[in-house]
Amino acid sequence: MASARRAAEERRVRELVAGLTAVDGLVHLRTRFLDRCATPADGDLLEPADPHALECGIQATVHFGVSGNITDVLPRIRAAHIASWGPQTETGQDVPGAGGTVAYALRYHRDRGKYPDGTLMPGPRLESPGLRIDWDRPGMPLPYEVEKPAPCPSGGTGRIYQRCEIVPAVPMSLTAARARYGTVLVFDVLGPDSGDVYFTVARSR
């Protein structure tokens, strides 16, 4: 049962990554794919124990160079229908003014990260359950730079199973990517840390 669920979840995650990779203006730099099963913490007086004795989940972190202007690429990301980014109306449109949407991100860049009264706007990253897209914004009032990619983690406490791969094995550095493309974008499929697990075993009582 676990192997079938693992295969289905891996297909889902890889299809999400492939969908974004196909967007015009995004140049794939690096994918870290992580599949792991771990035993959650037992809990203590301040925090109750997790109801699961075992949780398995898949996550991926994908870095891209942005070829051209990010404001040209954002509408293409929405048009790719990878996910519903941020709150949507009944007709599938971005809720006006809602964060996490492409419409908000475009407004953020158009207005240089400030509301008309001069106050700072929250960051414009795109969000959907279990998914997140963010990108470099060095020239904004709240500068942001995509973090350096993490290596494959060590086994760690409570880790029962782990499979990690990085493609390509020797990717371009983010420094080199920024020199070539100007902007780096990161796509996170958040995996078990967001509650998105493909297999669990209940804790015995």
Side-chain angles (χ1 to χ4, degrees):
M1 180 183 296
S3 60
R5 292 182 180 177
R6 171 179 290 125
E9 179 65 3
E10 180 167 344
R11 283 194 301 272
R12 184 188 76 87
V13 172
R14 293 194 183 278
E15 286 170 1
L16 287 167
V17 173
L20 193 60
T21 302
V23 170
D24 185 33
L26 293 181
V27 181
H28 179 261
L29 300 174
R30 176 190 194 269
T31 295
R32 188 189 76 159
F33 184 88
L34 179 61
D35 177 13
R36 59 184 174 180
C37 296
T39 55
D42 290 333
D44 52 33
L45 293 176
L46 300 178
E47 187 173 346
D50 191 282
H52 298 137
L54 179 71
E55 292 183 343
C56 299
I58 289 175
Q59 65 186 90
T61 300
V62 192
H63 288 80
F64 297 90
V66 178
S67 179
N69 198 309
I70 186 65
T71 55
D72 294 328
V73 174
L74 287 169
R76 297 177 201 148
I77 292 174
R78 177 169 52 194
H81 300 295
I82 298 162
S84 295
W85 299 109
Q88 307 287 300
T89 66
E90 293 180 356
T91 60
Q93 303 299 310
D94 295 346
V95 171
T101 65
V102 171
Y104 176 85
L106 291 171
R107 179 187 173 191
Y108 181 94
H109 282 277
R110 182 192 68 219
D111 295 342
R112 304 295 299 167
K114 290 185 178 182
Y115 290 114
D117 64 0
T119 57
L120 300 182
M121 300 172 68
R125 71 184 185 185
L126 306 184
E127 296 181 306
S128 190
L131 306 176
R132 182 174 59 212
I133 292 177
D134 214 339
W135 54 92
D136 293 338
R137 298 181 293 278
M140 293 295 174
L142 289 176
Y144 174 78
E145 188 172 89
V146 169
E147 294 181 1
K148 181 180 178 182
C152 284
S154 59
T157 303
R159 199 69 45 79
I160 303 299
Y161 164 85
Q162 178 170 287
R163 175 170 58 100
C164 181
E165 61 183 52
I166 295 175
V167 178
V170 184
M172 179 186 296
S173 72
L174 295 197
T175 299
R178 290 187 178 101
R180 177 176 295 185
Y181 301 108
T183 299
V184 169
L185 178 144
V186 62
F187 175 41
D188 288 304
V189 183
L190 301 177
D193 292 340
S194 68
D196 190 5
V197 298
Y198 63 76
F199 183 76
T200 61
V201 174
R203 189 182 295 273
S204 59
R205 298 183 181 278

